[in-house]
Amino acid sequence: MAKTSFMDPFKDILVNYLMPEKCYDEFFLQFNLLHVDCLKIVISKGLGIGIILGSVLVKLPQILKLIGARSAEGLSFNSVLLELFAITGTMAYSIANSFPFSSWGEALFLMIQTVTIGFLIQHYGGNTIKGLGFLAVYFGLLAVILSPVTPMSVVTTMQASNMPAIIFGRLIQAGTNYRNGHTGQLSAISVFLLFAGSLARIFTTVQVKPL
């Protein structure tokens, strides 16, 4: 007779989102709650889901600060463009390779928020038309990048350029802060949340491996 568990009503959800079936058996049929490989998988998948949920709000403090001050002083548009390039590369590469949403979903929400910040920088700088043009050009390019027209080699190159783009973007923002002598409307909360999310994503990328 097959073993049953009190968690069986939740088995489909757990197996689909948090753990492979082998780990479900280890935890809830064998009661081996200290299985190291399974614990790593559960922690990393849980963090992946948490990263996606957190990414919905991670740049909201920055957006609210810009709207509240009606100013984008201290924020570098070029830095935003480089960050957007990195986020788009990650998203396009993941979609092209059919990676699970839990491994890249935060990129979608970060993209939406970063585009919003880019528009607000232009809008509060007195260049609303330029901001609207930025939105039109970006989403047009995004449609092309995600389409079969774009060679996989281009998408792979974008992904490989992810880290340099982020580093240069941060350096540009740091240079802007240094020249201005202050951080302006840059949100410290958003910066911290992005850093924490990056650390968590590194953990999930390193830890997940087939059993």
Side-chain angles (χ1 to χ4, degrees):
M1 183 176 177
K3 288 184 178 182
T4 59
S5 167
F6 69 97
M7 292 297 289
D8 282 351
F10 307 102
K11 181 176 180 179
D12 287 344
I13 295 175
L14 292 173
V15 170
N16 286 331
Y17 296 103
L18 278 180
M19 64 188 74
E21 190 162 359
K22 180 175 180 178
C23 288
Y24 177 88
D25 293 343
E26 287 285 348
F27 287 149
F28 303 115
L29 296 182
Q30 305 300 328
F31 295 104
N32 182 11
L33 302 180
L34 298 179
H35 191 285
V36 175
D37 287 337
C38 285
L39 283 174
K40 288 180 179 179
I41 289 174
V42 170
I43 290 172
S44 108
K45 286 199 177 246
L47 280 173
I49 294 172
I51 290 169
I52 293 174
L53 294 176
S55 69
V56 176
L57 301 174
V58 70
K59 290 197 172 188
L60 188 60
Q62 180 66 81
I63 293 171
L64 293 177
K65 188 170 184 180
L66 293 177
I67 294 174
R70 301 186 67 81
S71 167
E73 182 187 9
L75 269 72
S76 167
F77 185 68
N78 289 333
S79 176
V80 169
L81 289 179
L82 285 170
E83 184 176 358
L84 195 55
F85 174 85
I87 293 170
T88 304
T90 296
M91 188 168 63
Y93 184 81
S94 299
I95 292 173
N97 286 281
S98 301
F99 291 163
F101 187 70
S102 61
S103 70
W104 64 270
E106 75 275 9
L108 173 62
F109 299 109
L110 286 174
M111 178 271 288
I112 294 171
Q113 294 168 85
T114 303
V115 166
T116 301
I117 291 171
F119 170 75
L120 290 175
I121 289 174
Q122 294 298 330
H123 174 63
Y124 290 128
N127 299 307
T128 302
I129 300 299
K130 187 176 178 180
L132 292 173
F134 157 69
L135 294 179
V137 170
Y138 174 74
F139 284 112
L141 288 174
L142 180 63
V144 173
I145 291 170
L146 296 180
S147 74
V149 174
T150 303
M152 189 61 193
S153 59
V154 173
V155 176
T156 302
T157 300
M158 289 181 66
Q159 167 65 9
S161 304
N162 188 318
M163 190 57 67
I166 291 176
I167 292 173
F168 281 122
R170 294 288 184 268
L171 289 174
I172 290 173
Q173 182 61 63
T176 299
N177 294 344
Y178 179 78
R179 286 193 302 273
N180 292 340
H182 56 76
T183 57
Q185 301 305 319
L186 186 65
S187 169
I189 296 175
S190 286
V191 171
F192 172 77
L193 291 176
L194 282 169
F195 177 70
S198 297
L199 291 181
R201 177 54 76 199
I202 290 171
F203 177 84
T204 65
T205 301
V206 170
Q207 293 299 336
V208 174
K209 61 180 180 180
L211 284 177

